[in-house]
Amino acid sequence: MHRRSALQWFGSITAGTVLQPSATLKALGNSYDNSKFQIDQLNGASGSEEDFWLQIRQAYSVSASIINLNNGGVSPQPRVVQEAVEFYNRLSNEAPSYYMWRIIDQGREPLRDKMARIAGCQADELAFNRNSSEALETIIFGLRLKAGDEVVLTKQDYPNMINAWKQREHRDGIVLKWVNFNFPIQDDDEIVSAFAKEFNSKTKIVHITHMINWNGQLLPSKKIADKAHAMGIEVLVDGAHSFAHIPYSIPDLGADYFGTSLHKWLSAPFGSGLLYVNKSKISKLYPLFAGGDPESSDIRKYENLGTRSFAIEQAINHAIDFYEMIGPERKYNRLYELQHYWTEKVKDHPNVQINHPINKRYSGAIGNVVIKNKKPEDLASFLFEPYKIHSVAINWENIHGVRITPNVYTTKHELDKLVKGILEFADSK
Ligand SMILES: Cc1ncc(COP(=O)(O)O)c(C=O)c1O
C-alpha cells in the first residue's frame, strides 16, 4: 500500500479505536498508548514486511490499555470475524428457528469443504464443535477401552485431557502410563524413545500434545505415531496450539484422532472447535452426544450437540479467509520471528533462564522465561506494573516460568518493552 493511502486508511480506522481512549484505558490511567509509534512506523512505509504486519495489526481491535502477550490462552479475532458473528447473530435473532436451522445451517457443508482445504484431509473426516476439550473428550470417552488396556500420555499434557483420562481410569479400570519430560528438549530421538519405552502389547492408544501449551515445545508427532502404529497402537493428537500456527496437514502428524480449538491460532470466534477422525475409525468411535446410529461411519454423528450458536460456526469462514490471506508459512515465520526477537535479547543475561526450545524445528510463537531464584508470578506482576504487559505465570510439572505469547498483531516495539521489563527484573535484587 502506498504511503498516502495507507495513512488515510489507517486514520479512518484508528479514529474509533487506538486513538480514542476507551473506558478501560481511562480506568487504567492511560498507561499504555502505542498510537504514536504506529504513526511513526507508517510514515516510513515502504511496502516492507514490517508494514505488512502493521496493517495486519490494524485488522484487530488491539487494546490501547495493555500489551497482550498471553495469546497462548486464547486469540482475539480480526474485526471481520467479530463483525461476521454479530451479523449472523442478528440474523438468527430475527427468527431463530428459521434463520438458524433452515438458512445458516446450510453453510455447514461448504464450511466443512473449506476447512478440509486448510486441514489437508477429507471433508468427511471433520466435525465442528466448541473447543479442543470437547473434541478430545469425544475421543477419550468414545474409544472402546476395557479394564487393563493401557494409554500412554505425559505429565505435561493439558489438565482437561489428563482429567478425562483419569476419569476413564476410575470408571473403566484402564491403566495410564505416564511419560515425564524435562523440557525444553531439542532432540527427536530422546522424545520418541521416552514414549516408546512405555509401549507394550497392552497399549491401545498414545496421547500426543503436538505443541505443549506451557512452554511451546513441539513434539515430533509423526515419529512417535510411526513407532505406535508399528505396534498396532492408535494415535490421538491434541492440536490445540499447533493448528493454524505451524503449517501441516492433520494426516501428516500420523493422527488417527485429532482435536483443536479454532479460537486459538485460527482466530475464529470464541467457542469454536474441530474434531478429526480418520475415515476408517469413525464407525468404531462412539459420539459423546448420541444421535441415531452410534456405529455410523458418518462424521456428522459428532455434531449432534443440541442448540448452539450457528453464528459462531459460520464466522469460522471469515477466520479461514483471513488466515489464507496471510498464508500459513508466512504466519508461522512471523510468529517464530517474534518469539526469537525477544528471546535473543534476553537469553544471555546470567540471571535469565529460557524454558522453551530456541530451535525453530521445535517452537513457534510461545516462549517461557524465568529469572533464576525468583518466582514466575513475581516476574509476571513486574511486567504488568509498570509495563502493562499481560502474560501468565506457569507452575506445572517441571515447567516454571512466565509464558510469553505474541500474535500476528504484536509489534517489535511492544517486545522491546518486554525485553526492558525482563532485563530490569533480572537485574533487581
Ligand atoms: C494443549 C491444550 N489442549 C487443550 C486445551 C483446551 O482448549 P479449550 O479450552 O479451547 O477447550 C488447551 C487450552 O489451552 C491446550 O493448551
Side-chain angles (χ1 to χ4, degrees):
M1 196 179 287
H2 292 301
R3 187 185 148 200
R4 199 144 164 225
S5 59
L7 278 172
Q8 280 164 351
W9 172 74
F10 173 78
S12 67
I13 55 169
T14 52
T17 54
V18 179
L19 299 179
Q20 204 172 65
S22 64
T24 28
L25 180 60
K26 278 187 196 144
L28 286 164
N30 197 7
S31 47
Y32 172 62
D33 180 356
N34 59 4
S35 54
K36 164 96 172 48
F37 165 74
Q38 292 184 39
I39 290 166
D40 286 350
Q41 283 262 307
L42 273 171
N43 280 337
S46 60
S48 70
E49 189 67 9
E50 285 306 317
D51 299 330
F52 172 78
W53 293 109
L54 210 49
Q55 288 167 28
I56 291 295
R57 179 180 176 86
Q58 302 313 317
Y60 283 82
S61 39
V62 179
S63 171
S65 310
I66 62 164
I67 299 174
N68 180 19
L69 292 181
N70 190 16
N71 293 277
V74 57
S75 287
Q77 297 136 49
R79 283 195 197 91
V80 283
V81 176
Q82 297 176 39
E83 282 164 11
V85 175
E86 285 157 20
F87 169 77
Y88 292 123
N89 195 45
R90 263 199 307 275
L91 185 65
S92 301
N93 276 293
E94 288 185 14
S97 64
Y98 176 75
Y99 284 111
M100 271 179 28
W101 293 346
R102 296 197 195 169
I103 305 296
I104 301 177
D105 193 43
Q106 303 295 316
R108 188 169 306 115
E109 294 312 316
L111 175 61
R112 201 186 308 279
D113 289 339
K114 193 164 167 172
M115 184 59 80
R117 195 169 69 213
I118 64 165
C121 60
Q122 297 174 40
D124 56 4
E125 294 175 310
L126 295 176
F128 293 100
N129 55 26
R130 293 169 289 207
N131 50 53
S132 301
S133 303
E134 189 166 63
L136 296 165
E137 296 206 25
T138 297
I139 303 161
I140 293 169
F141 290 113
L143 286 165
R144 298 168 186 222
L145 299 174
K146 53 179 195 328
D149 286 347
E150 293 189 4
V151 175
V152 175
L153 69 170
T154 84
K155 295 272 183 190
Q156 288 74 30
D157 292 326
Y158 192 70
N160 286 4
M161 285 43 266
I162 288 179
N163 289 335
W165 282 120
K166 283 185 171 168
Q167 193 162 307
R168 280 219 75 171
E169 180 182 48
H170 177 84
R171 195 178 74 184
D172 302 317
I174 63 165
V175 177
L176 303 183
K177 301 298 283 273
W178 298 95
V179 180
N180 193 2
F181 284 109
N182 264 310
F183 291 134
I185 302 175
Q186 307 193 95
D187 177 353
D188 283 4
D189 291 344
E190 185 180 339
I191 298 169
V192 176
S193 63
F195 276 96
K197 250 192 242 152
E198 300 300 329
F199 295 167
N200 64 56
S201 59
K202 286 186 249 155
T203 314
K204 296 293 177 234
I205 186 145
V206 56
H207 181 114
I208 304 170
T209 301
H210 188 207
M211 180 179 267
I212 302 292
N213 54 293
W214 315 113
N215 76 332
Q217 166 91 45
L218 264 172
L219 301 192
S221 177
K222 182 69 168 70
K223 288 190 180 174
I224 302 165
D226 286 349
K227 277 263 186 241
H229 285 147
M231 293 178 68
I233 299 165
E234 294 191 315
V235 176
L236 182 169
V237 176
D238 176 345
H241 266 295
S242 60
F243 189 74
H245 180 170
I246 313 293
Y248 60 78
S249 298
I250 296 172
D252 290 349
L253 302 177
D256 298 304
Y257 311 98
F258 172 97
T260 192
S261 298
L262 302 174
H263 48 233
K264 290 192 187 288
W265 292 96
L266 189 63
S267 278
F270 305 133
S272 56
L274 188 72
L275 168 69
Y276 161 91
V277 183
N278 178 284
K279 192 106 188 71
S280 65
K281 308 277 177 185
I282 298 174
S283 64
K284 291 275 179 286
L285 183 78
Y286 285 116
L288 201 53
F289 292 83
D293 176 8
E295 306 221 338
S296 162
S297 53
D298 185 343
I299 192 79
R300 293 162 193 81
K301 75 180 179 186
Y302 304 113
E303 290 173 341
N304 189 45
L305 305 174
T307 307
R308 59 201 182 273
S309 170
F310 288 9
I312 285 172
E313 189 177 89
Q314 270 315 293
I316 295 169
N317 271 297
H318 302 258
I320 296 176
D321 290 345
F322 192 81
Y323 174 64
E324 291 192 312
M325 182 267 293
I326 294 177
E329 294 286 342
R330 193 178 196 181
K331 177 171 177 176
Y332 172 47
N333 288 338
R334 175 63 173 183
L335 292 174
Y336 177 77
E337 183 192 359
L338 293 173
Q339 179 260 101
H340 185 71
Y341 180 84
W342 71 263
T343 303
E344 280 299 302
K345 290 181 192 292
V346 301
K347 76 176 189 351
D348 295 327
H349 189 291
N351 295 340
V352 169
Q353 182 181 310
I354 297 296
N355 294 326
H356 56 272
I358 308 256
N359 187 325
K360 191 172 178 188
R361 240 171 75 95
Y362 295 96
S363 61
I366 302 176
N368 186 306
V369 59
V370 73
I371 307 304
K372 289 170 193 161
N373 304 316
K374 290 189 178 165
K375 289 193 195 135
E377 38 284 32
D378 291 343
L379 172 59
S381 304
F382 185 83
L383 292 174
F384 198 74
E385 296 292 349
Y387 292 106
K388 294 286 174 252
I389 292 171
H390 171 58
S391 60
V392 62
I394 304 282
N395 283 299
W396 182 265
E397 300 288 358
N398 307 338
I399 305 173
H400 301 278
V402 173
R403 186 177 67 188
I404 302 291
T405 319
N407 204 327
V408 290
Y409 61 84
T410 305
T411 63
K412 289 181 178 169
H413 174 69
E414 290 177 321
L415 296 177
D416 288 337
K417 292 197 175 191
L418 169 73
V419 167
K420 193 157 179 280
I422 293 173
L423 294 178
E424 255 175 45
F425 192 68
D427 283 335
S428 66
K429 290 275 168 276

